[in-house]
Amino acid sequence: LEKLARLIATGRLRVPIAASFPVEQIRTAVELQAGRRVKGKVVIDL
Amino acid sequence: MGRSQSEMSDQLSTSRSRAVRLDSFGGPEVLDILDVPAPQAGPGQVRVRVTAAGLNPMDWFMLTDADTAVRFGLSLPAGFGTDYAGVVDQVGDGVTGFASGDRVFGGALSRAVADFVVVDPTGGIAANEAHHIPDGVDDRTAATLTIAGRTASAALAVVELGPEAAVLLLRSTSMGRRQRTPQGHSASLTRASPPSPRRSRASHQPTAPTPAQAPWKSSLA
């Protein structure tokens, strides 16, 4: 995993983040992610 | 969703933690944000002030399906989410290699969507772990790496790609679509290394498993 993180740090890998939500919107975030149509990761901010 | 969080101070206490909890299995509507005592790092553990938590299909499998949750050793009431990134704020006795203020990411099985998680960085247990975040990687990105990264490396270990292998990537939006046909996926061709003048050795590689045999293959979304 640390190797993976280094690949991102050096720009050799990119992670598509589709959306981020504040934790108060956890239900909306889960609904989006569970809908399986989102392209990229869904992240919760704390 | 409960309104209690609107009454909470924006100033984070280190003795209390917002934590997403479920008291029953179901859809997103069973998720609530509670104000709970913050967990404390015991010997061999670190506590992380979580800044970002990445969602994975595994999380809602455990949310909606009691059998899956039991298989992962969960019981109700349960927390939610596994991938996290944040900053170490407590270091337990006997921990080496981690200090307060270190930026870390990892897995905290079904408790990551919370202000604080306690993990065991030395135990070597998946989903109870911490790794340093390199400079140049932001917290949100780091919070997506653990489950997808472990899934990808497990997949690569299974197919044993050589350095010149051509790889056909079958992509879908999440794992679990085992009933889908390959035609339902978008496909792209990429290489594991810079092209060599020789012909690709793809034909010598093991035949790619079907999605039904290899649900991990499509879980990188």
Side-chain angles (χ1 to χ4, degrees), chain A residues 1-2 4-6 8-9 15-17 20 23-31 33-46, chain B residues 1 5 18 28-29 31-33 49-57 60 80 114 131 134-135 137 140-141 144-145 149 173-174 176-177 221:
Chain A
L1 286 178
E2 288 170 11
L4 194 62
R6 284 195 298 273
I8 293 166
V15 176
I17 293 177
S20 58
V23 68
E24 289 78 11
Q25 294 175 28
I26 182 70
R27 293 179 182 181
T28 307
V30 170
E31 206 168 330
Q33 200 258 348
R36 308 183 194 219
R37 294 190 178 279
V38 65
K39 289 189 166 64
K41 299 292 289 187
V42 177
V43 178
I44 307 299
D45 293 327
L46 288 140
Chain B
M1 193 166 299
Q5 71 271 14
R18 293 173 301 171
E29 72 283 353
L31 295 172
D32 282 308
I33 301 168
R49 161 72 184 107
V50 176
T51 54
L55 301 186
N56 289 280
W60 48 263
F80 183 76
H131 311 277
D135 289 344
V137 178
R140 283 178 180 162
T141 298
T144 67
L145 297 181
T173 52
S174 74
R177 287 250 162 172

Side-chain angles (χ1 to χ4, degrees), chain B residues 11-54:
Chain B
Q11 189 67 42
L12 261 176
S13 152
T14 57
S15 61
R16 308 292 297 177
S17 175
R18 293 173 301 171
V20 171
R21 291 288 171 90
L22 50 141
D23 289 323
S24 60
F25 297 106
E29 72 283 353
V30 304
L31 295 172
D32 282 308
I33 301 168
L34 301 190
D35 176 32
V36 301
Q40 306 292 316
Q45 298 177 321
V46 297
R47 187 172 78 171
V48 178
R49 161 72 184 107
V50 176
T51 54

